[in-house]
Amino acid sequence: MIKKIKLSIILLIIATAQSNALIEVDITRGNLDPLPIAVSPLSADKDTNEKLTKELKIDKVGQEISSVVENNLRNSGLFNPLNKDAFLQKPNIAHLKPRFEDWSLIKAQALITGKVTLKDEKLRVEFRLWDVLAGKEMMALAFTTVPSNWRRVGHIITDKVYERLTGEKGYFDTRIIYVAEEGPKTKRIKKLAIMDQDGSNTKYLTLGNELVLTPRFNPTNQMVTYLSYFRNLPRVYLLDIETGIQEVVGDFPGMTFAPRFSPDGKKIIMSFAMDGNSDIYTMNLENRIVERITNHPSIDTSPSYSPDGKFICFNSDRSGYQQIYVMKADGSKVKRISFGKGLYGTPVWSPRGDLIAFTKLHKGKFYIGVMRTDGSGERLLTENYYQEAPSWSPNGRVLIFYRETKTDSEGKGFSAKLWSIDLTGYNERMVNTESDASDPSWSSLLSN
Amino acid sequence: MNLSKFFKNAFLVMLACLVLSACATKKVQNQMQGDVYTGTETVEYLASGVPDRVFFATNESVLTTASRDTLRKQAEWLRKNSKINVVLEGHADERGTREYNLALGERRANAAKDYLMTYGISANRISVISYGKERPVDSGSNPLAWSKNRRSVTVKAN
């Protein structure tokens, strides 16, 4: 369904990494002082433009790609892309040799230039990243791909620039799977949907005939696990988003829910409800062996593995109320880690391994927060009437979650939207979706 | 005297407000005991005098006295209508995380199932499904609406 895309990346010139680059993005403080960056539109000759306009039905693909880059950089909160009207140098000339005085005049500290050509039906995009203050090239890369892949080229360029300037992997060439919602609150219609991280290329994976909830990506491939009420039997399913083939996970005599993949993608961990009691189980996708991980008369749910696969954090009310617990992957050494005021739910282990993100309910307000894996250093990032279910960007830098609005006295005005926030608590923003949306899950980087 | 007339009017308006709000409070109180819904507005009937649903306190799955009374009536009706099977649909309010609420709805429906079983209804006539917070009856964002939504509903399966 969604084609696997092969991008050949040719390194043009190896960046002079040892050069004393003056620019550096401080990522520990968030977006207090975003780096001014100029994204010059990628240049293309007339012939290339005409051919691409015909094929892609968009004018000036070079400008469109640079807009993708610009939008990504702005949304990260770490960069301040400058207004193009102030650019003095023409894109094609800047790409050959920028006049650094012109760019420093408009306060740009970094500059991105590039060029698009069409050769043998393939789109070739090259770009360069320049350190304006030092007057040096920092990076130069070229990509060759099918023209319809032009947006992905923009995301990959952003990833390369982000990594070069922050020292961390990017998260732009990624997708979000979520639940698209419509209709009144009492009769919501829900469909699985997938989109690029920036909200474009939305595709619907189910028709809305049955209730679907909590889709989650396999961190190693394009498989998804989710909960479906197909034939009124709520069960965990596995879906291959490339082929559209789906299957029930395991043969359980009751509801299975709250699924998530293990970090190696070989197991699904989930809750199974038996006689009203929910415990945590795993199923190995290779040999189909089911293992019981917890055995307790309380509710045990929302399990999430640590990135090394050695531990599991989960939600349990064994203390009387919803709290977060950590145990070894075999279910031994269960330890409560949340001790603050209020109820805690939806723990998710950061891909960096050092933090657990969670939802907290306290005095009628919902918070998204993070704590260390031993429960210390609790930090609440955002407060709202209702929000829950954070999911980490693959670099462990950003959390995406969903928010629902309070209805008015007549029960009207309900909506559900996706939001994201930086780990630092800065740069809280709504993520655009075609319809109402909930239960987001962030994919791994599609390319490396 | 315009001023005294103004005060007189203001006083009347205030009095009216007080009376109205008192009525509103009383109404809510009449429909909730603690935070368990005791009203009948959303209740449907499986047969005459046999209510279809029971209500729960926040985060709880304990059956109240009224709930047990309702379930005994349902058990009696099921004993008389031995060919009817039922589905118990467990629900939670919107003030919890989705996954925990699925587990909570399951626990509530099973509390009702266990009670029906102690009154002689065979387990193979009862199936259970949890909808968590997915299917509220009242779309309001207030304690009364939430109390109506924390429920287990007995539905005829055939």
Side-chain angles (χ1 to χ4, degrees), chain A residues 237-308:
Chain A
Y237 280 73
L238 197 60
L239 167 69
D240 184 330
I241 50 178
E242 282 168 25
T243 63
I245 293 170
Q246 39 188 307
E247 56 170 314
V248 184
V249 174
D251 181 23
F252 291 91
M255 176 170 73
T256 48
F257 62 108
R260 229 175 252 283
F261 285 94
S262 60
D264 63 7
K266 289 177 181 164
K267 276 184 189 174
I268 286 180
I269 189 163
M270 63 199 149
S271 284
F272 163 51
M274 173 88 167
D275 298 330
N277 179 38
S278 301
D279 277 316
I280 293 168
Y281 288 71
T282 59
M283 192 182 94
N284 186 313
L285 293 171
E286 285 169 350
N287 58 22
R288 307 275 144 173
I289 289 174
V290 170
E291 267 185 88
R292 184 177 192 148
I293 306 295
T294 66
N295 191 345
H296 197 281
S298 68
I299 289 172
D300 292 342
T301 190
S302 302
S304 164
Y305 276 102
S306 62
D308 61 8

Side-chain angles (χ1 to χ4, degrees), chain B residues 47-50 68-82 115-116 119-121 125:
Chain B
S48 175
V50 186
R68 290 197 297 267
D69 187 47
T70 297
L71 291 167
R72 278 195 300 273
K73 286 175 184 157
Q74 290 185 5
E76 196 188 327
W77 172 76
L78 281 165
R79 277 197 304 274
K80 280 187 207 149
N81 299 275
S82 59
Y115 200 77
L116 289 179
Y119 279 81
I121 308 305
R125 293 178 64 194

Side-chain angles (χ1 to χ4, degrees), chain A residues 12-246:
Chain A
L12 272 188
I13 308 156
I14 296 162
T16 47
Q18 70 272 37
S19 79
N20 305 322
L22 299 176
I23 36 169
E24 195 175 282
V25 179
D26 180 1
I27 50 171
T28 52
R29 283 190 311 158
N31 67 341
L32 290 182
D33 198 11
L35 182 96
I37 188 166
V39 186
S40 175
L42 310 192
S43 70
D45 60 40
K46 205 173 155 221
D47 188 41
T48 303
N49 264 337
E50 274 172 10
K51 279 185 189 158
L52 286 174
T53 305
K54 216 184 254 172
E55 188 175 344
L56 300 174
K57 309 273 182 291
I58 51 163
D59 268 351
K60 294 175 183 159
V61 75
Q63 278 188 22
E64 295 292 332
I65 293 174
S66 68
S67 298
V68 169
V69 175
E70 210 182 308
N71 184 45
N72 281 340
L73 291 172
R74 184 178 298 109
N75 286 344
S76 78
L78 299 174
F79 298 91
N80 172 24
L82 300 168
N83 187 345
K84 284 188 169 77
D85 295 346
F87 296 178
L88 296 170
Q89 222 178 357
K90 280 195 170 165
N92 52 346
I93 302 167
H95 184 56
L96 291 172
K97 174 109 191 69
R99 213 164 38 240
F100 293 109
E101 315 87 79
D102 285 2
W103 296 101
S104 82
L105 198 68
I106 61 165
K107 306 272 190 288
Q109 291 190 37
L111 166 67
I112 297 170
T113 64
K115 189 176 153 188
V116 183
T117 47
L118 200 58
K119 202 183 165 191
D120 305 331
E121 320 266 292
K122 289 279 178 65
L123 186 72
R124 185 177 181 279
V125 181
E126 58 177 72
F127 85 96
R128 294 192 174 117
L129 172 66
W130 309 85
D131 183 335
V132 172
L133 302 184
K136 276 178 181 158
E137 181 184 287
M138 293 181 81
M139 176 188 239
L141 288 170
F143 311 98
T144 309
T145 184
V146 290
S148 58
N149 250 337
W150 64 272
R151 290 195 72 93
R152 277 202 66 197
V153 172
H155 294 313
I156 293 169
I157 292 174
T158 320
D159 279 326
K160 298 295 171 193
V161 169
Y162 182 96
E163 188 173 350
R164 184 71 180 85
L165 294 177
T166 67
E168 282 182 5
K169 281 252 175 227
Y171 54 87
F172 302 99
D173 187 24
T174 56
R175 293 189 287 185
I176 309 283
I177 191 159
Y178 63 98
V179 172
E181 303 189 1
E182 58 189 286
K185 196 176 173 184
T186 50
K187 286 179 196 152
R188 232 31 191 167
I189 292 168
K190 299 195 173 191
K191 300 172 191 170
L192 288 189
I194 189 168
M195 65 181 185
D196 293 351
Q197 145 282 129
D198 64 352
S200 52
N201 287 329
T202 303
K203 290 184 178 69
Y204 296 91
L205 305 173
T206 63
L207 298 169
N209 295 330
E210 62 275 326
L211 179 63
V212 290
L213 301 170
T214 64
R216 272 93 191 231
F217 271 114
N218 185 321
T220 64
N221 59 32
Q222 295 301 305
M223 299 289 274
V224 163
T225 182
Y226 68 104
L227 171 59
S228 171
Y229 277 68
F230 183 62
R231 290 186 179 155
N232 273 331
L233 296 170
R235 295 290 185 276
V236 169
Y237 280 73
L238 197 60
L239 167 69
D240 184 330
I241 50 178
E242 282 168 25
T243 63
I245 293 170
Q246 39 188 307

Side-chain angles (χ1 to χ4, degrees), chain B residues 104-117:
Chain B
L104 188 57
E106 182 82 13
R107 203 192 240 173
R108 284 174 176 159
N110 272 280
K113 179 184 172 182
D114 289 346
Y115 200 77
L116 289 179
M117 282 166 65

Side-chain angles (χ1 to χ4, degrees), chain B residues 125-145:
Chain B
R125 293 178 64 194
I126 310 168
S127 55
V128 155
I129 187 168
S130 171
Y131 286 101
K133 71 179 180 104
E134 305 306 315
R135 291 285 179 266
V137 281
D138 190 322
S139 55
S141 295
N142 56 71
L144 181 61

